[in-house]
């Protein structure tokens, strides 16, 4: 995450007071979540994120919700949500309450967009136009929107997407504390630019939906993969504009293959929602090892696995100096 400067900070108080071997400290109101996209079966990469959020909820004696992020209708794979739920159940990961689907929550996003009307504007740019105007400006920042439609659409142009105006100057600098990585800073104006809330294809953008859902579901602690670290400042800005609380954040390393690519179903991930494969040996123990948890390889029982993994997670957080650079171990796939 080259856009972030990681600065040493004092570690979060809630993770350093472990007196028991298997809990950090009971945290009233703790609500965590796992929020997979149904673009394929759960694989070892997504299992690592699921496991970290599940263990953190268990260690705090909190609730763990499951939310299916199915807003990108072009990428959804039929039945992938059912496969993911089956895999979690096979792994012994039981969620609290009902599963929620973002596709059923779109009126909430519409309402939030209305609330943001003063900061939102229509954008008529195609991807190619954005790329061309960056080239003309000699910009190498591939992610930053050049602000073409900020002051209104050019004559004859029709709105495609809806963008949120980011502040200028000091107000554009967002800081948040990552429980694992320490203090994070991002300047939304120079590093992100005005970002999309509703896409040209009519789909809701991830940033808006996730902020609305986390608040509406009372999520107090977000534990997810570090590929989303870069999104967090945008989410903090949306929380500020919408008057929503900011959850605590913790980002865990992302599993990559030998070429450094994030695992996906295209890069050799294993599915384990059915069949006779041994979820402990083939999925849970490798995922726990990837997270750096000290686990006995001899464990043969799911209940015992989760008891020991919860204790190992609490110990891991207690000894993890917040300033330690994120570890990126390689997880070998069979
Ligand atoms: Zn535009």
């Amino acid at each position: 995450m080259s856009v972030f400067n990681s600065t040493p900070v004092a570690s979060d108080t809630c993770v350093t007071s472990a007196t028991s071997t298997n809990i950090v400290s009971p945290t009233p109101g703790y609500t965590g979540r796992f929020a997979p996209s149904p673009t394929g079966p759960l694989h070892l990469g997504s299992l690592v994120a699921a496991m970290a959020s599940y263990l953190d909820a268990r260690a705090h004696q909190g609730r763990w919700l499951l939310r299916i992020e199915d807003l990108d209708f072009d990428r959804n794979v039929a039945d992938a949500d059912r496969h993911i739920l089956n895999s979690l159940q096979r792994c012994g990961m039981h969620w609290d309450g009902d599963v929620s689907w973002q596709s059923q929550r779109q009126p909430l996003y519409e309402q939030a967009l209305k609330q943001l009307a003063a900061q939102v504007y229509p954008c008529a740019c195609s991807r190619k136009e954005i790329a061309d105007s960056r080239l003309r400006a000699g910009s190498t920042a591939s992610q930053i929107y050049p602000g073409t439609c900020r002051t209104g659409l050019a004559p004859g142009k029709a709105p495609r997407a809806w963008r949120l105006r980011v502040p200028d100057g000091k107000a554009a600098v967002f800081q948040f504390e990552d429980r694992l990585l320490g203090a994070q800073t991002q300047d939304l104006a120079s590093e992100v630019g005005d970002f999309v809330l509703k896409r040209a294809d009519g789909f809701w953008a991830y940033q808006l939906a996730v902020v609305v859902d986390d608040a509406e579901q009372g999520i107090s602690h977000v534990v997810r993969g570090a590929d989303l670290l870069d999104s967090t400042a945008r989410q903090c800005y949306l929380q500020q504009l919408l008057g929503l609380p900011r959850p605590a954040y913790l980002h865990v390393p992302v599993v990559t293959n030998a070429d450094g690519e994030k695992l996906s179903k295209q890069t050799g991930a294993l599915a384990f929602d059915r069949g006779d494969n041994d979820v402990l040996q083939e999925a849970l123990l490798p995922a726990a090892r990837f997270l750096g948890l000290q686990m006995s390889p001899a464990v043969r029982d799911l209940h015992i696995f989760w008891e020991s993994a919860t204790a190992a997670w609490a110990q891991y957080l207690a000894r993890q100096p917040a300033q330690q650079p994120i570890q990126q171990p390689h997880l070998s796939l069979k």
Side-chain angles (χ1 to χ4, degrees), residues 73-139:
F73 298 99
D74 291 341
R75 292 184 64 226
N76 290 346
V77 171
D79 262 0
D81 48 0
R82 194 172 50 83
H83 286 275
I84 291 169
L85 301 185
N86 286 346
S87 294
L88 293 172
Q89 279 171 330
R90 282 200 70 201
C91 290
M93 302 168 81
H94 303 294
W95 53 89
D96 294 299
D98 294 331
V99 178
S100 62
W101 274 263
Q102 287 189 321
S103 56
Q104 297 170 2
R105 303 165 61 81
Q106 300 189 67
L108 292 173
Y109 315 139
E110 191 72 59
Q111 196 183 322
L113 188 70
K114 280 192 187 132
Q115 206 178 324
L116 295 166
Q119 286 89 17
V120 169
Y121 64 87
C123 170
C125 303
S126 65
R127 275 171 200 267
K128 184 173 184 309
E129 285 168 332
I130 294 173
D132 288 350
S133 66
R134 278 198 207 106
L135 276 179
R136 278 196 301 277
S139 169

Side-chain angles (χ1 to χ4, degrees), residues 12 14 21 88 95 109 122 143 146 149 174 194 219 223 235 256 264 271 278 295 310 324 333:
D12 192 304
C14 74
T21 54
L88 293 172
W95 53 89
Y109 315 139
Q143 299 302 315
C149 307
F174 278 78
D194 297 347
I219 303 299
V223 176
Q235 293 167 20
T256 55
S264 69
D278 177 346
M295 300 289 297
T310 305
Q324 187 165 303
L333 294 171

Side-chain angles (χ1 to χ4, degrees), residues 33 115-116 164 174 176 195 207-208 210-212 214-215 219 222 224 231-249:
R33 45 69 161 187
Q115 206 178 324
L116 295 166
L164 182 71
F174 278 78
F176 67 94
F195 56 96
Q207 309 295 352
L208 181 67
V210 77
V211 162
V212 168
D214 281 343
I219 303 299
V222 172
R224 60 187 179 187
S231 290
T232 311
R234 273 170 276 180
Q235 293 167 20
C236 293
Y237 179 44
L238 281 166
Q239 286 151 3
Q240 177 186 298
L241 290 176
L242 291 164
L244 302 174
R246 182 190 292 189
Y249 288 100

